[in-house]
Amino acid sequence: MRVLHFYKTYYPDSWGGVEQAIRQICMGTARLGITNEVLTLTRNGGPARMEIDGHVVHRVPLDIEIASNAMSFASIRALARLARSADVVHYHFPWPFGDLAHFLARVKKPSVVTYHSDIVRQKALLKLYSPLMHRFLANVDGIVATSPNYFASSDVLRRYGEKVRAIPFGLDRNTYPQPTPERLAHWRAEAGERFFLFVGVLRYYKGLHILLDALARCEYPVVIVGAGPIENELKEHARRLGLKHVRFVGAVDEHDKVALLTLCYAMAFPSHLRSEAFGISLLEGAMYGKPMISSEIGTGTSYINIDGDTGIVVPPSDPAAFGNAMRTLWEDPALAQAMGQRAGERYRALFTSEKMAADYAALYCEVAKSSA
């Protein structure tokens, strides 16, 4: 079986959660005999065709971007051409141009869409986009919610309940590098023996201002990994608060990220809006057996992190509650260790790449058969 994935960004241009999810789906289903290709847009030039982790990536130039909606006229022709040799076309939502391209390319192959997130911020544009969105979701053969929590809390997904199934993201720890002793020693010297860790793109919905406000009331060391559009704003906020125990280390490579995941005491994940539909880096923390602090926003973050079991879940946008949760873990190492152990067990039971790949392979076969 041949599957074509279509999304606006992918490696090596972008390293976010959706890109990691696509990569893990491709690698996991490849072990089950599925051939994957990815069609994506690039703003950085470079080769039109690459091979990454055993799957082919086709890259076309980005022409214009409006309100995060990347567009490429060449992608329509490429989608039409590549879809002809695919058994299933796999879209990744939200991406309004991707919906439009589906119709302009006249894709007639069985199709599924992974619904990564509701559209939360662009309310005015959503009113204009809504007819196309619903036409697209009605047209595809299967829709995947990334957690039961998100399916239950999304008005859009509930509208298509009969064709929606929940397939949580999964990770393969074997695809992560082993940290070298030298790198572990470097970060131990930089960050100390105990610290909270955040990993992610620095975007508005990540709630890092809430974490910084919480740290104004306590002095626990925190390492913030990532870059993004509000990086300077966050650094200025930390400066205004006089925070001396927060380290912004910028974007790091996989070896450094794994070293920090290995060394950290707990994960701090303050995302406060539904744009955070799952939380890949939160799952990475669980995979490394770390206790977690997250907010209840009705999404997959509370499917990964179970309050009182694998960590602590607090109300969103509540710095005092987030700080209290940090204090609870910091002052009770035995509790933190037990929660981290249960987080690792939950990862192995529900969030492995093998389980996700098997679920997606079954869905591909189902939609291909029903459309035959």
Side-chain angles (χ1 to χ4, degrees):
M1 176 177 286
R2 301 180 67 90
V3 175
L4 173 65
H5 295 261
F6 187 39
Y7 189 58
K8 61 183 178 180
T9 52
Y10 195 58
Y11 302 118
D13 289 32
S14 180
W15 296 79
V18 176
E19 294 86 348
Q20 174 71 300
I22 296 170
R23 174 175 172 259
Q24 292 286 340
I25 293 169
C26 289
M27 291 191 298
T29 57
R31 290 190 285 269
L32 301 176
I34 293 172
T35 300
N36 293 276
E37 295 183 88
V38 177
L39 173 59
T40 189
L41 281 51
T42 178
R43 66 178 75 235
N44 299 327
R49 187 181 187 275
M50 304 175 67
E51 184 169 322
I52 297 177
D53 294 320
H55 53 275
V56 173
V57 179
H58 303 271
R59 305 163 79 232
V60 295
L62 181 149
D63 293 319
I64 189 171
E65 187 170 17
I66 301 173
S68 299
N69 185 29
M71 294 176 271
S72 166
F73 299 109
S75 72
I76 299 170
R77 295 189 298 273
L79 177 60
R81 174 175 56 85
L82 294 168
R84 284 195 290 269
S85 59
D87 297 298
V88 175
V89 179
H90 189 157
Y91 299 98
H92 295 269
F93 178 100
W95 181 26
F97 179 79
D99 303 7
L100 181 63
H102 168 76
F103 293 110
L104 293 178
R106 299 182 180 180
V107 175
K108 301 302 181 185
K109 293 297 180 74
S111 54
V112 300
V113 58
T114 296
Y115 190 99
H116 292 271
S117 172
D118 291 333
I119 294 176
V120 176
R121 200 178 195 186
Q122 292 99 345
K123 297 294 186 183
L125 291 175
L126 178 59
K127 292 180 181 178
L128 296 174
Y129 165 54
S130 186
L132 172 62
M133 176 185 74
H134 286 295
R135 184 184 172 200
F136 172 70
L137 293 174
N139 188 261
V140 297
D141 299 291
I143 301 172
V144 175
T146 56
S147 70
N149 300 44
Y150 210 87
F151 179 33
S153 62
S154 169
D155 293 336
V156 174
L157 285 176
R158 287 200 302 272
R159 180 168 171 172
Y160 299 96
E162 73 285 351
K163 68 162 98 174
V164 178
R165 69 183 61 190
I167 303 179
F169 293 135
L171 300 175
D172 181 357
R173 185 162 175 174
N174 292 325
T175 65
Y176 287 70
Q178 282 287 104
T180 63
E182 293 78 15
R183 208 166 293 229
L184 290 170
H186 165 78
W187 284 111
R188 191 176 284 112
E190 288 286 320
E193 291 294 331
R194 280 210 300 172
F195 59 91
F196 290 93
L197 178 66
F198 169 87
V199 179
V201 179
L202 307 188
R203 301 189 189 280
Y204 70 95
Y205 60 83
K206 294 293 185 179
L208 284 163
H209 61 287
I210 300 161
L211 174 60
L212 296 178
D213 287 343
L215 292 171
R217 301 174 172 88
C218 52
E219 295 189 354
Y220 307 124
V222 174
V223 174
I224 295 175
V225 172
I230 64 167
E231 182 175 357
N232 290 335
E233 176 184 329
L234 291 169
K235 289 179 176 178
E236 176 60 23
H237 189 50
R239 189 196 64 77
R240 284 197 305 269
L241 293 172
L243 302 181
K244 305 297 185 184
H245 46 295
V246 178
R247 291 183 59 82
F248 290 88
V249 300
V252 302
D253 65 19
E254 285 293 289
H255 294 271
D256 285 320
K257 184 178 78 171
V258 166
L260 287 163
L261 285 166
T262 301
L263 293 172
C264 75
Y265 184 71
M267 299 296 292
F269 200 79
S271 295
H272 64 306
L273 298 173
R274 285 180 55 79
S275 300
E276 188 68 79
F278 191 76
I280 290 290
S281 62
L282 189 67
L283 182 56
E284 288 175 328
M287 182 172 70
Y288 279 85
K290 304 299 178 177
M292 299 165 278
I293 304 172
S294 58
S295 299
E296 180 53 74
I297 49 177
T299 74
T301 62
S302 295
Y303 189 61
I304 299 168
N305 186 23
I306 306 301
D307 185 39
D309 185 48
T310 62
I312 301 173
V313 180
V314 301
S317 302
D318 190 335
F322 207 94
N324 287 337
M326 297 176 77
R327 182 175 298 107
T328 296
L329 292 183
W330 191 265
E331 295 181 355
D332 194 339
L335 174 66
Q337 182 178 16
M339 286 180 165
Q341 181 176 341
R342 291 192 292 267
E345 292 168 355
R346 185 168 176 82
Y347 154 74
R348 290 186 289 275
L350 297 175
F351 300 111
T352 63
S353 175
E354 290 83 1
K355 185 178 187 307
M356 176 185 67
D359 289 344
Y360 268 108
L363 176 60
Y364 293 154
C365 291
E366 182 182 313
V367 298
K369 185 181 297 185
S370 64
S371 300

